[in-house]
Amino acid sequence: MKARILSLAVVCFSLITVAVAQEQNSGSFQGPNQIGSVDNQGIRNYLLGPGDLIDVRVFGQPDLNAIAEVDSEGNISSLPFLETPIRARCRTEKEVQKDIALAYAKYLKNPQISVRITERKSRPPATVFGAVRQATRVQMQRKVRLNELMAASGGFTERAAGTIQILHTEPVMCPEPGEEAEAAAIDATKIPLQIVKISELRAGKPEANPMIRPGDYILVTEAEPIYITGSVNSPQGVFMRDQLTLGRAIAMVGGAGKNAKLNDVRIYRQKPGSPDQETIRVDYAAIKKNKTPDVLLQAYDIIEIPEAGMFSPGRIGQTLLGTITGGISSAMQSTGQILPTRILY
């Protein structure tokens, strides 16, 4: 069991590492010294945590001034002459300031204390990557929702597949009422992965705009391709989207060509676990007339729209016209006659 848990953790970490490395190689990832940030609204209510540094000043007693770090247990235990640690975890600088003043009151008469946070290091940045304009790390000094991080990363690219994966790596440090479960240690046997649909986020659904924790990895999944060939206006690959149908895919390449044989569209699809393909024949003409339902596509489908035959009902008129026009031109060329050109004034 332990080996399986370790393997699962290694796989998850490897996937994240590879994705981040790809972003770094592309030159679009902001390095550690270029960490982005959302606005500082609410920073006055910042709650201290392990690793944070505070500047403690005792007025009139410069020997007692100190830069102190919140230790791993969430206490300040390195202030001069104070043997009892000051609790700092999940408290504001003003609350810590009052306790330090009470502690020094045993040695000084009415001590005047100031406490200022100099470095906020207790919360690792959230990392946004994948199908976004600018992969980035966002330093979060307050509670931040998903849509704010998407804005900080420049929004989605055309490769976005339609889902956002949120991987939690850290428990909530200072839970509010109702968040007790999120403050529990991360269970290595259960990957804390949350999936959000981009369409629901854009629609403003509250459940699709969750709070993001420090240390979260937010992956905007990239779409896999579908290839469209044959008698279409712009044969090319398109990216798979949520619930992408044959009709929408054909519209994305400019629609079918004038001579397309719409009643015999073919979809070549890879069989799961096999190198073989299956061929799915679709009457797209019937779909356009709402006689049959549209077909849902799968990633890596190859769609071929053939051209109608020379003597098919849709092309017979063009075929006859082309034959007649070609015959007249050939006859004129063989007799050396030139067709007169009329100029209209």
Side-chain angles (χ1 to χ4, degrees):
M1 174 63 74
K2 290 183 178 179
R4 188 172 68 178
I5 293 172
L6 180 60
S7 299
L8 186 62
V10 169
V11 168
C12 292
F13 181 78
S14 299
L15 289 174
I16 291 170
T17 303
V18 169
V20 174
Q22 289 175 344
E23 296 290 349
Q24 289 175 327
N25 292 335
S26 68
S28 62
F29 194 87
Q30 292 187 354
N33 297 324
Q34 295 175 301
I35 295 178
S37 178
V38 294
D39 62 83
N40 291 331
Q41 180 183 357
I43 198 171
R44 292 181 181 276
N45 297 320
Y46 180 84
L47 300 179
L48 289 161
D52 289 337
L53 295 180
I54 61 172
D55 182 4
V56 180
R57 299 294 177 97
V58 183
F59 295 103
Q61 302 290 333
D63 292 343
L64 299 181
N65 295 341
I67 300 294
E69 181 179 5
V70 182
D71 62 26
S72 60
E73 296 180 354
N75 299 321
I76 298 170
S77 54
S78 59
L79 295 177
F81 297 108
L82 297 186
E83 297 180 358
T84 303
I86 303 295
R87 185 171 63 88
R89 183 187 178 97
C90 298
R91 306 183 72 200
T92 66
E93 57 188 347
K94 295 298 182 183
E95 292 171 330
V96 172
Q97 177 178 303
K98 290 180 181 179
D99 282 1
I100 294 175
L102 287 174
Y104 275 123
K106 297 178 182 180
Y107 310 101
L108 302 172
K109 182 178 180 179
N110 191 26
Q112 300 297 310
I113 310 293
S114 73
V115 173
R116 182 174 60 88
I117 301 174
T118 58
E119 290 190 49
R120 297 173 173 83
K121 302 192 296 183
S122 61
R123 294 162 177 82
T127 304
V128 185
F129 58 102
V132 290
R133 302 291 176 189
Q134 177 66 65
T136 186
R137 295 188 183 100
V138 179
Q139 188 69 57
M140 303 198 306
Q141 299 173 349
R142 61 174 177 83
K143 288 195 170 184
V144 179
R145 289 196 176 273
L146 177 60
N147 63 346
E148 294 182 86
L149 267 73
M150 292 300 99
S153 61
F156 309 107
T157 69
E158 65 279 357
R159 293 182 64 92
T163 59
I164 303 170
Q165 297 180 4
I166 304 169
L167 178 65
H168 301 305
T169 64
E170 299 282 341
V172 174
M173 182 185 299
C174 303
E176 294 184 356
E179 296 180 339
E180 291 78 10
E182 297 179 4
I186 301 295
D187 186 352
T189 64
K190 300 175 182 177
I191 300 177
L193 183 67
Q194 184 177 1
I195 298 179
V196 173
K197 289 186 176 181
I198 293 175
S199 58
E200 294 181 353
L201 176 64
R202 285 172 169 164
K205 293 186 177 181
E207 62 273 16
N209 191 26
M211 289 289 185
I212 301 300
R213 305 181 195 175
D216 280 358
Y217 284 94
I218 299 96
L219 169 63
V220 180
T221 56
E222 292 194 343
E224 296 170 312
I226 289 173
Y227 305 100
I228 305 175
T229 65
S231 184
V232 290
N233 289 320
S234 179
Q236 60 181 294
V238 298
F239 294 116
M240 184 69 184
R241 299 291 189 271
D242 187 34
Q243 300 293 303
L244 181 62
T245 63
L246 176 62
R248 287 173 56 196
I250 293 175
M252 290 170 69
V253 295
K258 184 169 57 175
N259 300 321
K261 187 179 181 181
L262 298 181
N263 62 351
D264 190 23
V265 174
R266 300 166 194 181
I267 302 174
Y268 301 101
R269 181 171 295 169
Q270 197 77 28
K271 292 182 179 180
S274 171
D276 299 328
Q277 287 184 335
E278 61 175 326
T279 302
I280 303 170
R281 292 179 178 267
V282 179
D283 187 349
Y284 182 59
I287 293 175
K288 291 185 66 177
K289 296 176 182 178
N290 294 322
K291 292 182 178 180
T292 58
D294 210 340
V295 177
L296 285 175
L297 299 176
Q298 296 182 12
Y300 301 105
D301 279 351
I302 299 174
I303 302 163
E304 181 184 15
I305 303 179
E307 283 201 354
M310 185 178 297
F311 295 102
S312 64
R315 293 193 64 187
I316 191 167
Q318 297 178 22
T319 302
L320 291 174
L321 180 60
T323 302
I324 294 171
T325 304
I328 294 174
S329 298
S330 298
M332 290 297 182
Q333 289 176 3
S334 64
T335 60
Q337 297 184 34
I338 300 176
L339 291 176
T341 300
R342 296 183 62 192
I343 301 176
L344 301 180
Y345 291 96

